[in-house]
Amino acid sequence: MHTTSMISLSSAVLMSTLISTATAHPPSLLHPFRPLTEYDADLVAKVDEQWSHPDLVTRHLTRGHRGHKHYHRHNTDLIEINQLTTSKNKRENVKVPVISNVKLLGGSSNNPAQYYFPNQVNAALPAIAVNLLVDSIEDAVSTGSGAWNGSGNIEITTDNVNQLEAFPWPISMSRDTGKGGYLNGSKIFLFSDTENFFNTTSSQEGEWVGFVSNTAAVDWGYGPSNGYPLTLRDRPGAFANEKGTMRNFVPFTTGESYYNNAMNSLGFRYAIWPSSSLIPLTSTTAAIYAPIVFTNSNNGAFNYAGATLIGISVPNYQDNRSGPIATRLNNKIFPDSALEWGCIGGIRSWGSQGIGGNDGWVYIMGTDTYGLMLARTEVGNIADASSYEYYLGQSGTWTSDMPAPGGHQTWVNGSFSNADVFYSPMHQTFIMVWQDDWIDNKFLWSYLQTDTPLIPKYDGSDFVENITEYSWSPTQTLYQAPAPAAGYAYSGGVHMGYFENNDLVNGGSQSLITWTAETGKDASSVYGGYTLMSAIVSWE
């Protein structure tokens, strides 16, 4: 039987160092706009004559699309509705967002650290029950144990920095997807499946070393700030030996690690694939909800096995030399039977302490058959699955009962393979950027249409709740990305905060968008099989 893992004692201790419990929030019952569904016929008669009717576009798609991977769920032939609405508000004194330019920068390059930690001693993996070593999802593999010290990046401290040794040869990697965000002075990029190689040169393909399910790198050289593509650096704590064998950024539990060691040769493994932007918790910590994926290489299946909640911090040692460190706050916060809550992303609603404070709410999104679903909790309770409340799109109310998949309770209708929602101080409204399931290399965007400017007061009210109380503008094309050498542009998003004071989320006028593209090169080459493309969006 599948059950949701509740927060462990160690997670509770960690959470207390990240954030404190916020005040109770009474859900609002006011909801002047309800997302339209094909089952909401009664609403059409009630729509003000100044509103335009929705343009409903139906088509088939595959459930659970993330980038170029498909981890399948209960239904595969589904109807998608793309909703285009216009607001009846006059929007006096509101600055409508306009994109003035998009500048393509190109593909990223890797410049990994030249050092690693030798002689790492990992704890022995305790065996898990034989009945868990099966070719199907078992919750206890993830929930029945804590993190294994043989995975997760090693933090550099004054006690171990002198143990670092230099690699005797160049190393390289090829990694899939790539999203992240700005945190505590670091511009972080998270990746899913990653192959790594050693002795790689411009004239020689590298020798294969290993394969891990997720890695993390930081921006190196601030290329986009100077009009150049990204250069990415993996920190020394990411490497396990002189050949550059990589450690998973998100630590596996001992159960997951034992299962993978025992079953990988038979074609089965558990993976953790971060695929959304960071959600800030405080000024120095963030969270991400990542899908646990059960893979079967015998038939090429990728099955959603639930969501894990990950806490991320950046130690301050020597100008953030350690790079980001990840901790499992809840090994499996949502089960595989539920929507992929949080895995597509979320948004922070700051409380009375203001930006960077430790009160307020966290909103997360999930993808339903007909569009985006919405849930929230107080920031101090994010690791407690029972604390979440869910938005019911048909009534505009909140409930503590998790809606079933396909229940027609979408917050925003449409097709979404990824999405970022953020507040723009420049425009005093919210903006959404996403890609749909059409695999057409296109970024889309919309903004929240309000009658007056939205200005956060930080008075204890839930500012982000505004995204449920107004309509979104008609969908517009933000950028048509160039076709890659193979496949299509996927795992796109906004790297919020990249341009620091000049970033749109901080009151500036620029955004960095990124997406993954195949290079058409061998994974063992210096180019790798994938690259993280980027472009600068200028707003006015």
Side-chain angles (χ1 to χ4, degrees):
M1 181 176 71
H2 301 308
T3 58
T4 300
S5 170
M6 298 303 292
I7 183 170
S8 65
L9 177 61
S10 59
S11 293
V13 173
L14 176 64
M15 284 297 297
S16 68
T17 66
L18 293 176
I19 45 186
S20 62
T21 303
T23 56
H25 172 63
S28 172
L29 298 180
L30 298 177
H31 184 71
F33 171 72
R34 297 189 296 169
L36 294 174
T37 73
E38 61 178 350
Y39 299 93
D40 204 13
D42 65 306
L43 183 60
V44 175
K46 302 176 184 178
V47 174
D48 188 282
E49 62 182 0
Q50 298 178 53
W51 288 40
S52 65
H53 284 267
D55 176 18
L56 301 180
V57 182
T58 61
R59 65 175 184 273
H60 291 88
L61 69 152
T62 303
R63 176 73 181 101
H65 179 64
R66 288 290 182 278
H68 74 299
K69 297 185 176 72
H70 296 75
Y71 33 92
H72 297 290
R73 310 257 308 190
H74 312 293
N75 301 312
T76 53
D77 289 329
L78 308 171
I79 299 175
E80 192 76 19
I81 301 176
N82 180 32
Q83 172 191 4
L84 301 177
T85 64
T86 58
S87 174
K88 64 179 180 179
N89 300 321
K90 296 181 180 179
R91 310 200 72 242
E92 297 176 355
N93 303 316
V94 174
K95 184 175 183 179
V96 175
V98 174
I99 296 172
S100 60
N101 184 57
V102 180
K103 178 183 178 180
L104 176 66
L105 299 178
S108 63
S109 59
N110 293 311
N111 182 13
Q114 302 302 305
Y115 300 90
Y116 70 101
F117 281 107
N119 306 317
Q120 297 173 26
V121 179
N122 299 323
L125 278 173
I128 60 176
V130 174
N131 64 349
L132 298 180
L133 298 176
V134 294
D135 60 354
S136 59
I137 298 168
E138 294 291 336
D139 278 351
V141 173
S142 296
T143 63
S145 58
W148 181 49
N149 76 332
S151 63
N153 285 7
I154 298 173
E155 179 181 344
I156 300 177
T157 67
T158 54
D159 295 329
N160 64 17
V161 65
N162 292 327
Q163 300 174 17
L164 291 172
E165 292 187 7
F167 285 114
W169 35 55
I171 59 174
S172 65
M173 62 278 298
S174 177
R175 49 194 166 195
D176 200 0
T177 72
K179 296 190 72 173
Y182 181 93
L183 180 64
N184 197 23
S186 287
K187 300 168 183 180
I188 301 169
F189 296 86
L190 307 180
F191 299 89
S192 61
D193 283 345
T194 302
E195 291 183 275
N196 55 301
F197 307 84
F198 77 99
N199 209 18
T200 310
T201 67
S202 59
S203 60
Q204 174 179 289
E205 293 181 349
E207 299 180 48
W208 190 80
V209 174
F211 185 91
V212 292
S213 81
N214 58 81
T215 54
V218 297
D219 177 53
W220 190 256
Y222 308 106
S225 296
N226 298 298
Y228 300 105
L230 288 161
T231 298
L232 303 173
R233 168 156 291 194
D234 298 78
R235 309 308 272 163
F239 301 103
N241 54 42
E242 66 178 11
K243 289 187 176 181
T245 299
M246 301 191 76
R247 303 168 62 95
N248 284 295
F249 170 66
V250 179
F252 279 126
T253 65
T254 55
E256 292 162 343
S257 299
Y258 187 91
Y259 181 96
N260 287 351
N261 287 352
M263 300 293 288
N264 191 55
S265 62
L266 301 178
F268 306 102
R269 71 180 174 105
Y270 285 91
I272 297 173
W273 287 343
S275 52
S276 59
S277 299
L278 300 186
I279 305 172
L281 299 180
T282 68
S283 60
T284 59
T285 59
I288 191 170
Y289 299 71
I292 304 171
V293 183
F294 183 75
T295 74
N296 182 348
S297 62
N298 300 299
N299 60 13
F302 304 96
N303 297 292
Y304 176 68
T308 182
L309 176 60
I310 303 157
I312 299 175
S313 61
V314 182
N316 288 321
Y317 176 75
Q318 289 190 1
D319 194 25
N320 300 338
R321 187 177 177 187
S322 274
I325 300 294
T327 307
R328 300 278 285 272
L329 300 181
N330 188 320
N331 291 344
K332 185 180 285 191
I333 188 166
F334 297 116
D336 61 290
S337 58
L339 295 177
E340 297 154 29
W341 289 107
C343 296
I344 198 171
I347 182 173
R348 181 72 157 88
S349 185
W350 301 106
S352 59
Q353 297 178 18
I355 296 175
N358 60 11
D359 62 343
W361 299 266
V362 169
Y363 280 67
I364 59 174
M365 298 177 287
T367 48
D368 188 273
T369 303
Y370 297 96
L372 291 178
M373 302 283 284
L374 197 63
R376 69 183 176 191
T377 187
E378 294 177 9
V379 67
N381 296 330
I382 61 168
D384 181 359
S386 67
S387 71
Y388 287 75
E389 56 180 359
Y390 304 88
Y391 183 71
L392 302 179
Q394 292 193 30
S395 63
T397 59
W398 295 85
T399 178
S400 59
D401 298 323
M402 182 187 294
H408 315 297
Q409 294 291 353
T410 51
W411 159 56
V412 177
N413 294 331
S415 169
F416 299 88
S417 66
N418 52 66
D420 285 305
V421 179
F422 55 89
Y423 176 71
S424 168
M426 177 185 187
H427 305 104
Q428 298 177 330
T429 191
F430 290 86
I431 293 175
M432 182 188 302
V433 175
W434 74 97
Q435 289 179 294
D436 60 20
D437 284 290
W438 281 110
I439 60 174
D440 54 5
N441 308 317
K442 187 180 294 184
F443 281 80
L444 305 171
W445 76 285
S446 180
Y447 63 90
L448 195 67
Q449 298 183 124
T450 63
D451 50 352
T452 59
L454 295 179
I455 303 173
K457 298 178 181 179
Y458 307 121
D459 58 358
S461 60
D462 184 353
F463 181 64
V464 172
E465 191 171 38
N466 281 291
I467 64 177
T468 68
E469 297 178 352
Y470 298 92
S471 64
W472 290 91
S473 68
T475 301
Q476 302 177 59
T477 297
L478 184 149
Y479 181 58
Q480 179 69 57
Y488 54 92
Y490 62 93
S491 191
V494 181
H495 196 277
M496 289 172 276
Y498 182 90
F499 292 110
E500 301 183 27
N501 289 339
N502 196 35
D503 199 278
L504 187 64
V505 301
N506 295 324
S509 61
Q510 291 188 324
S511 298
L512 184 72
I513 57 171
T514 64
W515 63 97
T516 298
E518 294 185 55
T519 64
K521 308 289 186 180
D522 193 276
S524 62
S525 70
V526 292
Y527 304 100
Y530 306 92
T531 189
L532 190 63
M533 301 289 290
S534 59
I536 300 173
V537 181
S538 297
W539 301 80
E540 60 181 38

